Amino acid sequence: MAAPLRWPAESLWEAVVPLLPGFTVEILPEIDSTNSELMRRARAGQADPVLLVAERQTAGRGRRGRGWVSSDGDSLTFSLGLPLGPADWSGLSLAVGVAVAQALHPDIGLKWPNDLWVQGRKLAGILVETASVVGAGADGAGSPLRRHAVIGIGINIAPRPPVEGSDIVPASLRELWPQADAPGALARAVPALVQAVLAFEREGFAPFVAGFAARDVLRGRDVTLSDGTTGRAAGVDRGGALLVHTAAGLQTVSSSEVSVRPAP
Ligand code: BTN
């Protein structure tokens, strides 16, 4: 049997609570999905900032209705839930990608909108969801709805088999950082993630544009969008939308429902 993982719950709490008063850290052996759990809690009015880590997810969720498969110890799966009120939400998931990539390794690339890549293969995915929470006002009466963000991240730590229907072996953090384990990756990623989310709330995506550009794996490459449009990727704008030179001119792609793949 594998040795139990030693999670850095206390040191993370100490690092983050000055930034997020009321912050708590929870490590669970198993849950359906850390995002689903924090969305349920937010909808039930539990709005305090929380980091929820699961050693195993039985129904992990990815973007665009897909699942997210992970295995004990070989993956890191966690979600950060917190009240958030940026003036403009566009680019939040890209900002998260920039922060996590920078915290983990210089050679991690970013594939719009928010996948972390290593040498053309997916290392990690990000799922950002929001809920409305009714908060209690200072007078004890219900205050207007506030937004709550749930930012879920799944990272392959050790090599894993290809997902069903594919022959591409996903990337793993140990390719770049041979001693990596899930607790060590969490310790690096979470403080950077919290700082980035708070900077995003204050300033939007603008402070992250250069960081994204430095790791943008699509820039200058021929790409095909899921609606069939083809063109050449030309970076992202100040709102995090993908720019693509197409036959019909420069197209701005902002919908997270659109997927994009580079030409082989
Ligand atoms: C994607 O690339 O499609 C996004 C994957 C996000 C996976 C993480 S794992 C932790 C959190 N809980 C979930 O159910 N999903 C996110």
Side-chain angles (χ1 to χ4, degrees):
M1 209 173 99
L5 295 170
R6 292 170 60 88
W7 294 100
E10 204 168 314
S11 58
L12 277 176
W13 180 81
E14 281 170 4
V16 171
V17 78
L19 304 172
L20 289 179
F23 177 69
T24 52
V25 179
E26 276 181 59
I27 317 281
L28 298 179
E30 180 176 298
I31 197 156
D32 55 349
S33 148
T34 54
N35 262 49
S36 300
E37 172 63 10
L38 292 192
M39 289 295 282
R40 286 191 289 265
R41 292 186 192 179
R43 290 189 188 113
Q46 295 178 38
D48 282 340
V50 57
L51 174 71
L52 181 62
V53 182
E55 293 186 341
R56 185 181 315 117
Q57 292 192 129
T58 55
R61 294 188 292 112
R63 289 176 54 240
R64 307 172 77 227
R66 289 186 292 230
W68 180 261
V69 182
S70 50
S71 46
D72 312 17
D74 288 349
S75 314
L76 171 61
T77 50
F78 66 97
S79 301
L80 173 72
L82 75 172
L84 204 66
D88 180 358
W89 287 82
S90 20
L92 172 57
S93 62
L94 282 76
V96 168
V98 172
V100 174
Q102 286 175 343
L104 291 179
H105 199 276
D107 294 339
I108 296 175
L110 292 167
K111 176 187 165 282
W112 187 92
N114 49 15
D115 288 350
L116 277 66
W117 269 26
V118 174
Q119 291 168 0
R121 291 163 302 128
K122 183 160 171 167
L123 170 75
I126 296 164
L127 177 65
V128 176
E129 300 180 289
T130 61
S132 298
V133 179
V134 183
D139 57 359
S143 67
L145 288 180
R146 289 179 300 145
R147 298 302 287 171
H148 191 84
V150 174
I151 299 164
I153 302 180
I155 304 173
N156 303 323
I157 302 293
R160 15 176 327 100
V163 290
E164 217 177 294
S166 161
D167 53 6
I168 300 173
V169 178
S172 72
L173 195 55
R174 286 200 189 138
E175 293 171 31
L176 299 173
W177 172 14
Q179 278 77 40
D181 61 9
L186 185 78
R188 281 200 196 177
V190 168
L193 169 64
V194 170
Q195 281 166 15
V197 170
L198 295 178
F200 180 88
E201 184 177 46
R202 289 188 308 267
E203 302 170 63
F205 181 63
F208 300 93
V209 171
F212 191 91
R215 292 171 186 262
D216 184 351
V217 299
L218 294 181
R219 196 183 190 104
R221 289 185 69 174
D222 291 335
V223 293
T224 304
L225 307 182
S226 47
D227 65 3
T229 307
T230 57
R232 179 158 295 179
V236 300
D237 70 12
R238 290 177 69 79
L242 178 69
L243 302 171
V244 183
H245 287 293
T246 72
L250 187 65
Q251 194 170 319
T252 303
V253 184
S254 54
S255 169
S256 59
E257 291 309 305
V258 174
S259 72
V260 51
R261 59 189 163 79

